[in-house]
Amino acid sequence: MDCIFCKIIKGEIKSEILYETNDFIVINDISHMANKHYLIIPKKHFAYLNEVDEEKSKIIANIMLNMNDIEKALKLEEGYRLVINQRSNAGQTVNHLHMHILGGEKLSDKFN
Ligand code: AMP
Ligand code: ZN
C-alpha cells in the first residue's frame, strides 16, 4: 500500500520516533503549524474514524491512556490542541488516521 505513514512505521521512510507503544508512534510533523507540532499515528492502517470498531477503539483508548506520559515526554504541560482531520472539508491529506498535537505557544481561539 502506498501510504506514507505505513512506510514510516515500517522504517522505509526515516522519521525520528519520539514516543512509541505497541499500538502507535509519535513523530514530528515535517511542516509545523505551531511551535510544537507532532503526529500520533496508529500502527494499524485505517483512514477514517467511521471505521472504528472494537479493536480500533482500543487503539484510540490506548492513545488517551498514554497522554499523561506523552505530555511529559514532549513537554506539553502548558497545553496543546489535538486535531483529527477527516476528509476533504478538513483538509486531510494522508489517509491513515492520525492526530495532530499542536502546542508550544498560545494557540489561536479559532480552529481555522
Ligand atoms: P492531514 O492534513 O491531517 O492529513 O495531515 C498530514 C500531515 O502529515 C501534514 O501536517 C504533513 O505535514 C504531515 N506529513 C506528511 N509527510 C510527512 C513525513 N514524511 N513526516 C512527518 N510528517 C509528514
Ligand atoms: Zn497507512
Side-chain angles (χ1 to χ4, degrees):
M1 194 193 305
D2 199 24
C3 169
I4 202 163
F5 290 168
C6 283
K7 285 182 178 162
I8 287 172
I9 287 154
K10 285 191 224 145
E12 291 169 13
I13 293 176
K14 256 197 181 283
S15 179
E16 189 189 352
I17 292 175
L18 305 173
Y19 190 92
E20 181 169 19
T21 73
N22 286 336
D23 288 331
F24 66 90
I25 59 169
V26 181
I27 62 170
N28 239 315
D29 196 296
I30 41 164
S31 169
H32 275 208
M33 302 286 280
N35 279 343
K36 292 187 173 189
H37 188 171
Y38 305 104
L39 298 173
I40 305 176
I41 307 174
K43 289 183 179 176
K44 184 179 178 62
H45 179 98
F46 64 102
Y48 308 115
L49 286 168
N50 68 5
E51 297 171 58
V52 171
D53 54 13
E54 280 293 320
E55 186 200 1
K56 296 184 191 90
S57 75
K58 287 190 182 122
I59 300 170
I60 307 278
N62 279 333
I63 292 171
M64 295 300 118
L65 285 168
N66 278 277
M67 283 315 299
N68 185 35
D69 247 21
I70 293 170
E71 287 182 16
K72 288 186 182 124
L74 303 177
K75 301 194 184 348
L76 291 163
E77 293 86 349
E78 284 176 56
Y80 58 91
R81 183 171 289 153
L82 272 187
V83 174
I84 306 178
N85 291 321
Q86 293 286 276
R87 301 195 191 79
S88 56
N89 272 3
Q92 184 177 6
T93 55
V94 179
N95 293 337
H96 177 135
L97 191 108
H98 54 280
M99 299 179 192
H100 296 258
I101 301 176
L102 298 160
E105 64 181 294
K106 181 88 179 152
L107 298 167
S108 135
D109 288 339
K110 303 228 160 117
F111 288 98
N112 55 18

